[in-house]
Amino acid sequence: MTTATPGNRAPRDTEEAQVPVITDPQDFNEDSLFVDLQPVLGHRLALKCEGFNFAGSIKLKAATEMVEAAEREGVLRPGSILVESSSGNLGVALSMLAANKGYGFLCVTDHRCNLSTRRMMEALGSRVHVVSEPTPDGGLLGARISYVRALCASDDRYVWLDQYANHGNQRAHYRRTAPVVAAQFPDLDVLFVGAGTTGTLMGCARWFRDQGHPARIVAVDSVGSVSFGGEPSRRMIPGLGSGFRPAMLDESYLDEVVMVDEADTVRSCHRLARRGFLFGGSTGTVVSGAQAWLDHHDDGSLTAVAIAPDLGERYLDTVYQTNWVEALYGPGVLGPDTVPGGIPVVDMELTERQRADML
């Protein structure tokens, strides 16, 4: 497949360009797209965009790796029903794979899962169960996992891949994500990776360690997550963070951890959107954490990459909805009420009323 790179545009001649033709949706995943965020953040930070596939997030890699391993091992068979606890993105990826391969799928989630994400899973033929009551020691995530375990114990048709402990989760990023970053940025100084199940984080960290690469690995987590021993508190943006310590996490492979408040996540998302880049909540957290770290450590010479797990369309009713944001994080959390270019919103509203009067 011929692709366009800076200074090397893809040829217009269709005989020269190879157009991909796929049969299965998982066969397409744009894996080499990076966005230069220096004009936005003032630091040389490249954002690796993982949302350009039919599942819309980095979770397609882990889902494909785990499903194919289960098929090879004979765990998944005709008539099997996949079940997984997910805040959304993995649920969509598994919905897509289940539909393509002929399995049933039940996603167990909670109220933080965006409505558009739930509807997407249902559109793909999956069922969604929403857990509402947290467990005392594991929160909503603990309640989701308890439900999954009880379901599997009651019916042997259900197959739980267990993204939290399945080594296929981190293996996908050891094999596919980290090598792409290193190939594009051989002189990489620091890599920022969000911490949820820690599959992406540990897969990348292990690969760089095994290769003897000197890049620093900085984990980015949400305030309120207990993954790295912090105090639990309310978290409303799905994706990163955890109600208990992830089974795959090994801090010996990491250099630092940056914790990001959700209000900063929201501000980061809106800052990127005002430059035309609509990213998801997980990406906003990673970018905010990277910005904070670089503000303290970057002297202008560092080469840095951050991994963007998702795009922003599924967050239009939450992160990008002013009423939702202000109800949770307070009025003025986004700063001056302006639109790109510094045009006051009130002026635009007056213009619209004036136009209406003229009709």
Side-chain angles (χ1 to χ4, degrees), residues 108-238:
V108 181
T109 189
D110 57 60
H111 69 273
R112 293 170 296 187
C113 179
N114 298 322
L115 179 60
S116 60
T117 301
R118 299 206 303 264
R119 287 176 173 170
M120 188 174 297
M121 289 188 277
E122 291 167 347
L124 289 165
S126 299
R127 292 183 293 135
V128 180
H129 177 80
V130 180
V131 169
S132 57
E133 294 296 326
T135 59
D137 55 347
L140 288 168
L141 179 56
R144 282 160 35 184
I145 292 176
S146 295
Y147 185 89
V148 170
R149 286 177 171 153
L151 190 64
C152 291
S154 69
D155 190 333
D156 60 8
R157 291 178 302 166
Y158 286 98
V159 175
W160 181 29
L161 298 176
D162 189 3
Q163 64 164 325
Y164 309 100
N166 192 317
H167 288 289
N169 187 345
Q170 59 177 309
R171 186 168 58 244
H173 305 290
Y174 187 98
R175 293 175 51 194
R176 299 182 57 185
T177 306
V180 170
V181 172
Q184 295 288 335
F185 298 89
D187 297 324
L188 181 68
D189 293 303
V190 56
L191 177 66
F192 299 95
V193 189
T197 64
T198 68
T200 307
L201 175 64
M202 294 311 304
C204 291
R206 289 178 184 275
W207 187 91
F208 278 95
R209 174 74 63 84
D210 289 351
Q211 298 299 313
H213 197 291
R216 298 180 67 82
I217 306 298
V218 177
V220 182
D221 198 9
S222 299
V223 171
S225 166
V226 305
S227 297
F228 296 95
E231 290 295 320
S233 63
R234 182 193 70 175
R235 291 179 293 113
M236 296 301 297
I237 300 175

Side-chain angles (χ1 to χ4, degrees), residues 280-344:
S282 297
T283 299
T285 301
V286 174
V287 171
S288 180
Q291 168 87 71
W293 190 95
L294 290 168
D295 283 347
H296 286 89
H297 297 88
D298 184 23
D299 60 1
S301 65
L302 293 179
T303 297
V305 171
I307 295 179
D310 54 1
L311 301 178
E313 292 92 339
R314 297 172 196 173
Y315 298 82
L316 295 178
D317 294 329
T318 54
V319 169
Y320 294 103
Q321 216 288 324
T322 303
N323 291 339
W324 186 91
V325 170
E326 292 190 349
L328 289 174
Y329 309 110
V333 65
L334 297 177
D337 194 10
T338 59
V339 296
I343 304 172

